[in-house]
Amino acid sequence: MNITMRLDKNRLLQTAQPQLILIGGTGRNVGKTQFACDLIKTIVKDYDVFGLKVSSVFPDEKIYHGNHDETLEIQSLFEEKRLHTNKDTSRMLRAGARQVFYLRSDNDHILENYLHFLQLIPEKSIIVCESNSLGYHVNPIKHIIITKRGAAVKPRAQRLLSLADMVLSSPQQKEINEIYQNLKTTWLQ
């Protein structure tokens, strides 16, 4: 997929959904979920937030995706309602998200399934999404990549570094507050 196709497909999405904050990472255990939860905790003081975790599991990347329920269909979307698990979606709920969804899709249908997800939440909702895969298909208001100094970058994440608005290593609350203030100004316009 080339960049032109990515941008052409998503002008409509960007206009209709400027509240998408996309958080990806260069690998596992770099702090993506912690960052997403800290951002949710900050935003929910003023706005409702919806959480979304999107996974496109490629056969050669199973080591990066941890342990998932094998009974899930390849194309699945479900609402997380369990507060007391160690899953990223439960952590987003505990952080204060109004609702959290997990979307699992093959790469060819991610955009279609994301559009289905948008139909389940109120229009112009603020979405904090943890995903690398979705980053190739949408043009969010803020695309943040979390990295860990000295850690290897997984191959499919390499190109996301050039698409991201920000690349952060071990972000602190001060950076989260600055990002939020910048976004809040944009949302109020």
Side-chain angles (χ1 to χ4, degrees):
M1 181 177 294
N2 62 43
I3 295 290
T4 305
M5 188 172 166
R6 176 182 183 268
L7 294 175
D8 287 347
K9 269 186 170 181
N10 294 293
R11 282 192 191 126
L12 181 62
L13 271 184
Q14 186 175 21
T15 301
Q17 198 63 40
Q19 291 86 354
L20 174 63
I21 304 163
L22 188 60
I23 301 164
T26 56
R28 290 189 75 204
N29 301 316
V30 296
K32 301 179 299 288
T33 304
Q34 186 61 53
F35 179 81
C37 290
D38 290 345
L39 189 59
I40 289 169
K41 286 177 189 173
T42 301
I43 296 171
V44 297
K45 295 173 186 171
D46 299 311
Y47 299 96
D48 281 340
V49 177
F50 292 81
L52 177 64
K53 167 110 180 179
V54 178
S55 294
S56 178
V57 182
F58 295 93
D60 62 331
E61 284 194 349
K62 285 189 178 184
I63 62 167
Y64 294 112
H65 291 283
N67 194 10
H68 288 284
D69 183 350
E70 295 302 322
T71 63
L72 284 178
E73 304 268 333
I74 292 295
Q75 313 295 333
S76 62
L77 175 67
F78 77 90
E79 181 179 355
E80 180 63 80
K81 293 188 182 243
R82 302 166 300 166
L83 281 171
H84 304 292
T85 76
N86 291 326
K87 294 291 186 187
D88 297 347
T89 49
S90 291
R91 292 176 61 192
M92 289 175 164
L93 266 179
R94 287 193 304 270
R98 181 171 161 189
Q99 288 179 282
V100 179
F101 295 84
Y102 176 65
L103 169 62
R104 178 175 166 160
S105 177
D106 62 38
N107 196 51
D108 292 337
H109 295 96
I110 279 187
L111 184 57
E112 174 186 335
N113 289 318
Y114 173 71
L115 292 171
H116 174 71
F117 156 76
L118 290 178
Q119 295 173 5
L120 301 176
I121 64 172
E123 190 175 335
K124 297 188 178 182
S125 294
I126 296 170
I127 304 163
V128 173
C129 176
E130 181 184 327
S131 178
N132 276 352
S133 303
L134 191 61
Y136 291 109
H137 300 280
V138 298
N139 203 358
I141 191 168
K142 189 64 76 176
H143 190 173
I144 303 164
I145 298 294
I146 307 297
T147 188
K148 187 181 262 185
R149 286 188 184 97
V153 176
K154 70 180 186 177
R156 284 196 179 86
Q158 191 69 45
R159 188 170 138 233
L160 286 175
L161 293 170
S162 64
L163 296 175
D165 298 311
M166 309 174 85
V167 178
L168 301 174
S169 181
S170 304
Q172 304 298 311
Q173 188 62 45
K174 179 183 175 200
E175 291 169 297
I176 292 167
N177 291 340
E178 289 172 7
I179 292 165
Y180 173 58
Q181 289 306 316
N182 176 273
L183 290 169
K184 190 174 177 180
T185 302
T186 304
W187 291 328
L188 294 174
Q189 291 179 351

